[in-house]
Amino acid sequence: MRRVLITGAGGGIGRSLRETLRGVYPILRLSDRVALAPTRDGEEVDRTELSDMAAVERMVAGVDGVIHLGGISGENEWPVILEGNIIGLYNVFEAARRAGVQRIVFATSNHAVGFYPREQKIDHLVVPRPDSRYGVSKAFGEALASLYSDRHGIGVLCTRIGNFGEKPIDKRRLSIWISPRDYTQLVRIGLEHPDIRYEIVYGVSNNRRSWYDNLNAVRLGYRPQDDSEPYAEAVLAAEAGQEADPIAEHYQGGTFCAAEYTAKTPRL
Ligand code: 15L
């Protein structure tokens, strides 16, 4: 990998990867719809709207690998999701194919499977159970990635990210947290592992309270260094006495599941 593109480079994960991948590959091309911090050695800065195919083609020209973080990172109205996560995502994969890109790491989300109950441990083989329009767009992304892998031979690692941050911020995140250094490790596996054709893994640290069987990531060499447990006492103490929504509490997706929920009975 000589030149690696990060889309959505202005977001929280993008800004972090800009630092942790600095010097790992000769050139990092950083792109976002918003202006980014100025270029340093070994960097190229780009400003692109993902819904604009001609601009996306310019963005991917000459890159060897793509880390696709761009798009909408939470629930939103359908037109917004459509533009950022369906049209924008399609444009990135299609432009990458035309440019001959061989590897893509796709930032999908726990919300593609958020309607699994917390009591069920899930692996990479479960069918999607999106908990939002956002989650549906991530399941769409996983499906599009599968098509581009099968039909065009592009190697794709779909990382179903839990919650990325320096530390877990609440009880739910104790089960899905991923630290910056663990996500960096996973992204590097996605770009560098010689045998990846199409894989789904969970982007989570080695959390004792995990809801995921991340055996596929482990098979690919992932050895997460962090665990949310040392933060558990403080996180739980901060939440003590707070009233919890029963739907949000029951499902892995939390408040994404409770929002707009009108089912009279839960789906089994
Ligand atoms: C996500 O997919 C979002 O991008 C992030 O903002 C958080 O909401 C995260 O999931 C989460 O579930 O905590």
Side-chain angles (χ1 to χ4, degrees):
M1 292 277 149
R2 209 184 105 66
R3 182 181 276 110
V4 170
L5 165 70
I6 304 180
T7 71
I13 303 180
R15 289 196 311 274
S16 173
L17 287 178
R18 182 175 186 173
E19 299 311 318
T20 56
L21 293 180
R22 184 164 168 70
V24 173
Y25 307 107
I27 304 169
L28 277 186
R29 181 176 293 170
L30 305 150
S31 180
D32 207 300
R33 70 200 300 195
V34 298
L36 298 173
T39 316
R40 300 171 297 184
D41 266 4
E43 292 181 344
E44 298 170 345
V45 165
D46 168 80
R47 193 166 178 178
T48 290
E49 199 65 60
L50 297 181
S51 57
D52 176 349
M53 183 52 143
V56 173
E57 286 196 290
R58 286 192 292 276
M59 174 185 77
V60 301
V63 311
D64 304 300
V66 177
I67 304 166
H68 181 47
L69 309 173
I72 305 301
S73 63
E75 183 60 319
N76 216 308
E77 298 302 321
W78 176 243
V80 178
I81 297 287
L82 176 65
E83 183 176 298
N85 292 9
I86 305 289
I87 297 171
L89 177 114
Y90 174 80
N91 287 350
V92 171
F93 274 79
E94 176 57 15
R97 177 193 72 78
R98 291 180 197 166
V101 173
Q102 285 305 308
R103 217 25 107 80
I104 300 178
V105 176
F106 169 47
T108 174
S109 167
N110 71 90
H111 296 290
V113 288
F115 257 122
Y116 281 96
R118 294 183 182 191
E119 71 215 17
Q120 187 177 345
K121 199 160 225 191
I122 58 175
D123 66 13
H124 60 293
L125 298 175
V126 295
V127 295
R129 272 182 93 166
D131 59 21
S132 49
R133 292 174 288 279
Y134 166 68
V136 169
S137 76
K138 292 300 185 182
F140 169 85
E142 293 176 4
L144 192 83
S146 174
L147 174 68
Y148 275 68
S149 174
D150 278 335
R151 186 186 265 172
H152 304 298
I154 299 178
V156 189
L157 182 70
C158 295
T159 58
R160 279 186 187 152
I161 302 174
N163 189 256
F164 177 96
E166 289 298 332
K167 46 188 189 173
I169 51 176
D170 59 20
K171 185 177 115 197
R172 179 175 159 268
R173 271 57 172 254
L174 291 172
S175 298
I176 67 168
W177 175 63
I178 186 162
S179 67
R181 66 173 169 174
D182 284 344
Y183 193 57
T184 303
Q185 186 192 145
L186 209 45
V187 164
R188 289 195 61 179
I189 290 170
L191 291 173
E192 297 169 29
H193 193 293
D195 301 324
I196 288 178
R197 181 64 183 263
Y198 178 80
E199 302 293 345
I200 293 176
V201 295
Y202 289 91
V204 291
S205 285
N206 187 28
N207 304 319
R208 228 165 296 170
R209 297 170 189 244
S210 181
W211 297 322
Y212 310 113
D213 180 351
N214 213 4
L215 77 165
N216 201 32
V218 172
R219 187 184 63 81
L220 293 168
Y222 182 49
R223 300 288 179 269
Q225 305 297 298
D226 294 304
D227 178 355
S228 61
E229 207 53 27
Y231 302 98
E233 204 179 316
V235 164
L236 296 174
E239 263 178 54
Q242 280 177 23
E243 208 169 305
D245 179 297
I247 298 296
E249 268 302 292
H250 183 65
Y251 293 108
Q252 296 183 359
T255 55
F256 282 64
C257 299
E260 303 176 40
Y261 189 88
T262 58
K264 300 262 183 304
T265 54
R267 171 180 152 195
L268 295 176

